[in-house]
Amino acid sequence: MDNALYVGLSRQMTLRRELDIVANNIANANTTGFKTEDLMVRTEAAKPARTLGGTNPVKFVLDDGVARDFTQGAMTKTGGDFDVAIEGQGFFKVQTAGGERYTRDGRFTTNPEGKLVTQTGNPVLDEGGTEILIDPKQGPVTIGKDGIVSQGQLSVGKIAVVRADDLSSLSKDGDNLYRNTANATLQQAPNAVVHQGMLESSNVQSVVQITKLIEVQRAYESMAKMMDNAAELTRSAVERLGKAN
């Protein structure tokens, strides 16, 4: 019976992790540029407890990381001069205290120095890796579909849109940012289209995630019941053996 308890416990641990991920998806349903995440699991064979005629090996369930769905989110029109959305694959490149980071969140603004920055104040970078400066005296800002930022006839920069050949190399880094964990440099995304005055919504499907949340909760409860039954069988077996002796 110990094997059933161990296997059940390993499954409960992954269900707890999956519950956290689904809850995080639901919490970020309205977060600009957020991408849905799913838990990946794997089985691992291990030697069982000493059981006469028991299965060998016993397979446990383990957390094998998080899969991220990078499909396009819906475009929402805002009309904001510094709101931009990417259509297609790619990420905006920003500068943080920890180095370059990447995001799909295009809710940009300007700081007191005139730099184009994210909501958390990180400078948005152009293709050359430099910051983009906006001078209010030069007039309204226009951002082309190629990412070129203009004020009247003056081009002040081009918002960098880069892509990763291996999306699994991008790791979450907080504030809706991703960090490149691979050695390869992210390349320009030539097919990406930048839309001014629009934002990309989260690709979370709330109904799907709520349904999944209910399924995870029921699976957890079912596993707990199975473990309780296994423990009760063990207790009953011990009592009978005790009486027999």
Side-chain angles (χ1 to χ4, degrees), residues 110-123:
T110 55
N111 65 9
E113 290 79 35
K115 297 178 183 179
L116 187 65
V117 297
T118 64
Q119 291 289 306
T120 54
N122 295 313

Side-chain angles (χ1 to χ4, degrees), residues 82-95:
F82 300 112
D83 286 342
V84 286
I86 299 174
E87 180 183 356
Q89 294 186 355
F91 299 86
F92 299 116
K93 184 165 61 174
V94 301
Q95 184 67 46

Side-chain angles (χ1 to χ4, degrees), residues 55-235:
T55 303
N56 190 6
V58 172
K59 294 183 178 180
F60 296 91
V61 187
L62 298 179
D63 182 345
D64 198 33
V66 176
R68 192 166 291 111
D69 179 5
F70 281 100
T71 55
Q72 181 82 47
M75 296 287 188
T76 303
K77 187 173 183 179
T78 66
D81 289 341
F82 300 112
D83 286 342
V84 286
I86 299 174
E87 180 183 356
Q89 294 186 355
F91 299 86
F92 299 116
K93 184 165 61 174
V94 301
Q95 184 67 46
T96 71
E100 289 186 357
R101 297 293 185 266
Y102 310 93
T103 185
R104 296 277 296 193
D105 188 349
R107 296 175 298 163
F108 300 147
T109 185
T110 55
N111 65 9
E113 290 79 35
K115 297 178 183 179
L116 187 65
V117 297
T118 64
Q119 291 289 306
T120 54
N122 295 313
V124 180
L125 301 179
D126 66 11
E127 288 188 326
T130 59
E131 300 170 352
I132 299 173
L133 296 176
I134 306 295
D135 184 358
K137 297 179 182 179
Q138 297 297 327
V141 173
T142 301
I143 302 175
K145 295 185 181 298
D146 55 1
I148 293 179
V149 183
S150 304
Q151 290 184 276
Q153 300 299 317
L154 178 66
S155 176
V156 297
K158 183 177 181 180
I159 298 175
V161 180
V162 296
R163 63 179 178 84
D165 292 330
D166 182 10
L167 291 172
S168 66
S169 66
L170 298 179
S171 174
K172 288 180 67 173
D173 201 49
D175 294 328
N176 220 0
L177 299 174
Y178 297 99
R179 175 171 53 88
N180 180 19
T181 60
N183 293 327
T185 303
L186 272 64
Q187 303 299 319
Q188 301 299 322
N191 298 323
V193 179
V194 177
H195 296 277
Q196 183 182 22
M198 301 188 76
L199 291 174
E200 180 189 8
S201 301
S202 163
N203 67 354
V204 173
Q205 300 180 47
S206 297
V207 174
V208 173
Q209 294 301 313
I210 291 173
T211 301
K212 186 178 294 186
L213 184 68
I214 295 171
E215 291 175 349
V216 172
Q217 289 176 325
R218 287 178 176 174
Y220 190 92
E221 292 170 356
S222 177
M223 192 58 61
K225 185 176 181 180
M226 182 275 290
M227 293 171 67
D228 287 342
N229 290 338
E232 179 61 25
L233 286 174
T234 300
R235 187 186 65 81

